[in-house]
Amino acid sequence: MFTSRSIRLINLPRRISSSTPLEVKWKFHPGPRLGIQSRNMATNGVQTNGVNGTSIKHDFSTLKVNQSRLLDAIHTGCKFGADHRYGDHPTETGMARLSLNDADKQVRDWFTATAKALNCVVTVDQMGNQFAVRAGKNASAPPIMMGSHLDTQPTGGRYDGILGVNSGLEVLKVLHENNWDTEGSVGVVNWTNEEGARFPMMAVSSGVWADVVPLETAWNLAEVSPGEDGQHKTMKQELERIGYLGPQPASYKAFPMAAHFEVHIEQGPILETEKRRVGVVKGVQAFKWFEITVKGRDSHAGTTPFSARMDSMLCAAKLIVESNAIAKRHNGLSTTGILTGQPGSVNTMAHTVTFTLDIRHTADDKLAEIEKECRVHFARIAEKECEKGCTVAWKELVDSPAVNFHADCIAAVEASTKEVCQALPSTSDDGQLWKYMISGAGHDSCYTNRRCPTSMIFTQTKDGISHNPQEYCSPEDCAIGAQVLLGAVLRYDKLRAERGDFS
């Protein structure tokens, strides 16, 4: 028997307090289901209820996330690093929790305490990655991990990364309160410096874990902006300062994973525009980050005629415009997020300008074409179109090829998504509440996919806004993402047992 549960669904304000009681309607329909044994389960799938002695048919589809508890956890953690207030409600702030700052230490301590209260074993590796594992019946096998990050942009929001970590913790809470024995172990990972906002290499710590980024390279990354003492601290210095330079080697060999699942806000407008609730993510587009250095000559703005100038700022501006045109021709993307000039005087031309270049495309070969054309045209513009000319140097910061997620993980996410969505009211024109998607942004899942089966789950993002204090995902959509995660993880756990992973 499958129980159809109808729970009151109240009208939700756009902004909502973590203390406001919320419940989402989950209605499960009869049909094929994958099950998993729990503690105290008798034979033939019948479990005895210790309170009244009644027997019930066991099926993990009856497990539900607690929406109000999930929101409370999100907003409790967001007390550490809250900034950029835009409204009167206590939760109407953005976040400024850059990796390894004091607020990041506080939320890390909170993560550890939360996980240990669920009887998880928490370990920390040499990059500060936190792994919280709840033991399964086959505790010696690598765990299924649910992962994302708790660091934010300088003007970030409350959901990017944060929703993923808290969704994982909510799954563990559901398993814990139901005394649920998974076949293998299940856990949550908080990856360090996913944003790359303070230390300029995104997802650097999952990259070290995947044996793609050398440990010393990551440790020696210097922060983008200097501290109050004027010094640029390195990742290793800050890991030591906040007490999160862990003893465990930062390697997939030291901490292997059976699979990695990540819930994330879409960070774009597609799901909301199409009135769908879930994105089943099949992969991630390719992207590269570069630091471009343009050198010219500093000279007086009033006494130097155009014909005698080596204006590095003018050159950089032309290069940025050209990169945009090249990316458009190839249906890709190009972005410059940081631009600095020296010496920084109003009436003096800059002798050196540095800027970042982020180029993206869904196909590796097209991304390579964008890069090749940028290099050719940058050299031409610097030499021929900047009066006496400038020089251009490239430094590659990140190279993330296009990612195709694992078919088994995608299938687990899709099956869970279909079950969750069939209980929701129809909103889209075609009646389909989910869709396959390719992520436009990079994630830690790009690196985990190199070492273990991986997939992702997208939830709606209001107005497609992310990396912004007003980034928002509704309480119901947060719960939908966590519910899909719960079903996907337990399906994959069941699959492991069926194919003999534990024998």
Side-chain angles (χ1 to χ4, degrees), residues 24 113 118 139 149 186 295 300 303 338 381 403 412 456 463 468:
V24 64
L118 301 172
H149 59 97
V186 175
K295 287 192 174 292
H300 195 288
T303 62
I338 300 175
I381 291 169
V403 173
M456 294 184 68
D463 299 326
N468 180 292

Side-chain angles (χ1 to χ4, degrees), residues 208-478:
V208 175
W209 174 88
D211 200 20
V212 176
V213 178
L215 177 63
E216 291 295 331
T217 298
W219 272 354
N220 290 326
L221 279 176
E223 59 186 338
V224 172
S225 301
E228 293 180 358
D229 59 0
Q231 300 299 310
H232 293 263
K233 304 295 193 306
T234 66
M235 283 201 79
K236 187 175 184 181
Q237 288 175 323
E238 288 297 87
L239 283 166
E240 290 175 327
R241 182 184 70 83
I242 69 170
Y244 274 90
L245 182 65
Q248 180 175 292
S251 170
Y252 71 96
K253 298 171 185 175
F255 191 93
M257 299 181 191
H260 184 271
F261 291 89
E262 182 172 7
V263 173
H264 208 282
I265 57 172
E266 180 197 342
Q267 298 182 283
I270 295 173
L271 289 174
E272 184 181 53
T273 299
E274 298 182 5
K275 300 179 181 179
R276 306 187 199 279
R277 310 307 292 270
V278 180
V280 177
V281 186
K282 300 183 74 173
V284 180
Q285 70 178 342
F287 66 94
K288 282 189 173 184
W289 287 6
F290 299 96
E291 181 182 80
I292 311 296
T293 301
V294 183
K295 287 192 174 292
R297 181 178 64 200
D298 46 341
S299 55
H300 195 288
T303 62
T304 310
F306 282 125
S307 61
R309 295 187 178 194
M310 300 170 67
D311 189 341
S312 60
M313 185 64 77
L314 176 64
C315 181
K318 291 186 175 185
L319 302 186
I320 293 168
V321 171
E322 184 66 19
S323 68
N324 185 267
I326 291 170
K328 279 186 176 180
R329 286 200 297 270
H330 292 279
N331 294 315
L333 294 168
S334 174
T335 304
T336 291
I338 300 175
L339 176 71
T340 59
Q342 299 176 39
S345 173
V346 173
N347 63 338
T348 303
M349 275 156 274
H351 60 71
T352 304
V353 171
T354 59
F355 66 91
T356 56
L357 180 65
D358 176 323
I359 55 175
R360 302 183 186 236
H361 202 284
T362 56
D364 290 327
D365 58 342
K366 293 295 184 181
L367 184 69
E369 290 181 26
I370 293 173
E371 179 187 348
K372 181 180 178 180
E373 287 193 28
C374 282
R375 287 181 180 272
V376 170
H377 288 285
F378 281 18
R380 172 185 57 78
I381 291 169
E383 181 183 359
K384 304 292 186 182
E385 298 183 16
C386 294
E387 306 301 345
K388 291 185 70 67
C390 296
T391 62
V392 179
W394 292 62
K395 178 183 178 182
E396 185 177 288
L397 301 177
V398 174
D399 179 4
S400 183
V403 173
N404 295 306
F405 288 141
H406 196 280
D408 289 343
C409 289
I410 295 171
V413 170
E414 181 178 339
S416 181
T417 296
K418 288 178 177 178
E419 179 177 76
V420 171
C421 285
Q422 71 181 352
L424 300 173
S426 179
T427 53
S428 64
D429 293 339
D430 60 6
Q432 177 108 334
L433 295 184
W434 65 276
K435 69 178 297 179
Y436 294 122
M437 301 188 76
I438 298 295
S439 174
H443 302 278
D444 291 303
S445 289
C446 297
Y447 282 126
T448 64
N449 191 63
R450 299 190 185 201
R451 300 301 178 188
C452 70
T454 297
S455 189
M456 294 184 68
I457 300 156
F458 275 174
T459 62
Q460 275 194 19
T461 308
K462 184 169 179 57
D463 299 326
I465 295 173
S466 184
H467 288 193
N468 180 292
Q470 294 194 50
E471 168 185 282
Y472 184 71
C473 180
S474 74
E476 184 180 11
D477 284 310
C478 288

